[in-house]
Amino acid sequence: MPEDIADPIVEFTAQGLGKHPAKHLRRSLVAVDLSFCKSYLVEEIRDEARAEARVEAEARRAAEDVLAVLAERGIDVPEDARERITGCDDPQTLSLWLRRAVTAPKVEETFE
């Protein structure tokens, strides 16, 4: 049955996209308005999605802060370092990098 294979395909697709920007595009394309649903399970799923969105937003802001400090100090940030910073989703790591960015003479020392 097509329904039997649909769920695993949807799940693998979602996992495969990971943090890629296409994840958000796919989510908006397949989004269904369930605002009329008030079940416990639906509310739990919404709460999880909101929490995930908050964590992602905090990580984006923290990464932007690290890059802003480095830019303000005139530190060159190569593309690979920029990708490492913007790709990090661990708030503790980003907080550490932000503190180091204040005094590090080179971007590499931010990560050490």
Side-chain angles (χ1 to χ4, degrees):
M1 300 294 278
E3 301 86 31
D4 294 338
I5 62 169
D7 286 341
I9 291 173
V10 169
E11 182 65 25
F12 288 140
T13 302
Q15 288 181 7
L17 290 173
K19 294 188 182 305
H20 193 275
K23 173 185 176 183
H24 302 292
L25 176 60
R26 179 192 165 277
R27 180 180 280 178
S28 66
L29 290 174
V30 299
V32 176
D33 180 18
L34 297 175
S35 59
F36 58 88
C37 291
K38 299 295 179 190
S39 75
Y40 172 78
L41 181 58
V42 170
E43 289 302 318
E44 187 176 308
I45 291 169
R46 283 189 187 127
D47 289 344
E48 288 175 9
R50 286 183 192 117
E52 181 181 323
R54 276 193 298 276
V55 168
E56 289 175 3
E58 288 174 19
R60 275 194 308 275
R61 280 193 298 273
E64 290 169 3
D65 290 345
V66 172
L67 293 172
V69 167
L70 293 168
E72 188 65 29
R73 295 188 56 233
I75 306 259
D76 181 48
V77 181
E79 190 59 33
D80 61 330
R82 183 174 303 278
E83 288 175 8
R84 183 173 178 186
I85 293 167
T86 58
C88 181
D89 62 356
D90 179 29
Q92 290 178 336
T93 299
L94 288 164
S95 177
L96 176 64
W97 290 350
L98 179 60
R99 290 190 306 276
R100 289 179 179 167
V102 173
T103 59
K106 299 185 293 187
V107 72
E108 294 81 13
E109 292 184 27
T110 302
F111 303 126
E112 294 174 359

